[in-house]
Amino acid sequence: SQGSMTLTANNSDALLPESMSGLQRSVADTVRVVLKELQEEGVVEASWRLEEETMERVTSYSLDMSISAASFAIEVDGPSHFARGSKIPLGRTLMKRRQLQAIGYKLFSMPYWEWHSGLSSEQKKTKIRAVIDKLLLRAQDGDGKELALSMSLDDMSDREVEDVGLQEQV
């Protein structure tokens, strides 16, 4: 998530942000739409619900978004997650990713430069569908071995994005 925000816990594990970045809100809105479409198509279980700003129980990390039924998390990484003026993730960001993977999360990191205002809603949906397809729906290879548990859009080829729907047109 981008910038600072104050989080408070209520009776559940949900954290209530005083302010959530517009970037994070945009990604969450798109994930929610795609998840609903996939449920209507019978591709994913109806029990899959997008949760926002929750506290992960083992590590106590705040998760920007998660689908706990699928052990899936999306982190929206704003500029504060990267070395100044670069696309190099900071140590604390890398540590969080490694620890979440170590306890079984499939993790997707959405860097701020990949989700820009020039993308149409269809292009955004295509990106999210590709992520869900790669990390959740094709999580095992032909030998039944689990594939990579973490990725960003840079890890996906244009062909993988195209396979899920529209070709990205930036």
Side-chain angles (χ1 to χ4, degrees), residues 4-169:
S4 63
M5 78 173 83
T6 303
L7 302 172
T8 57
N10 60 15
N11 290 339
S12 73
D13 284 332
L15 298 173
L16 305 175
E18 287 184 3
S19 68
M20 185 178 292
S21 75
L23 171 66
Q24 187 172 330
R25 173 65 42 221
S26 174
V27 173
D29 290 346
T30 303
V31 171
R32 201 171 282 104
V33 167
V34 168
L35 195 56
K36 182 178 180 190
E37 289 175 357
L38 291 171
Q39 288 169 334
E40 289 171 355
E41 294 167 14
V43 176
V44 301
E45 298 176 29
S47 64
W48 286 16
R49 295 280 179 255
L50 182 68
E51 302 166 54
E52 296 179 60
E53 293 298 336
T54 59
M55 184 183 299
E56 198 286 314
R57 292 179 187 263
V58 175
T59 63
S60 297
Y61 280 124
S62 168
L63 301 176
D64 292 340
M65 289 167 246
S66 65
I67 301 172
S68 55
S71 296
F72 177 61
I74 297 175
E75 286 294 301
V76 179
D77 293 337
S80 66
H81 290 267
F82 300 92
R84 183 172 297 162
S86 79
K87 295 180 179 180
I88 301 168
L90 295 176
R92 67 176 186 246
T93 298
L94 294 173
M95 175 71 80
K96 180 178 182 178
R97 291 175 186 173
R98 282 193 304 268
Q99 288 180 338
L100 289 169
Q101 290 170 352
I103 61 169
Y105 271 87
K106 296 168 202 83
L107 180 65
F108 176 68
S109 298
M110 174 62 72
Y112 67 96
W113 63 85
E114 291 284 349
W115 196 267
H116 52 84
S117 59
L119 293 176
S120 71
S121 61
E122 284 303 313
Q123 289 170 318
K124 290 176 180 180
K125 284 172 41 177
T126 298
K127 285 178 181 271
I128 296 299
R129 273 188 173 261
V131 167
I132 290 173
D133 182 56
K134 185 165 184 168
L135 278 178
L136 295 177
L137 305 180
R138 287 191 274 154
Q140 294 191 343
D141 67 13
D143 298 326
K145 295 177 187 164
E146 203 161 279
L147 298 176
L149 294 178
S150 178
M151 64 175 281
S152 68
L153 288 174
D154 293 335
D155 299 329
M156 298 178 68
S157 68
D158 289 338
R159 181 76 215 160
E160 287 173 309
V161 172
E162 186 179 86
D163 285 347
V164 184
L166 300 173
Q167 172 67 33
E168 180 179 4
Q169 298 180 18

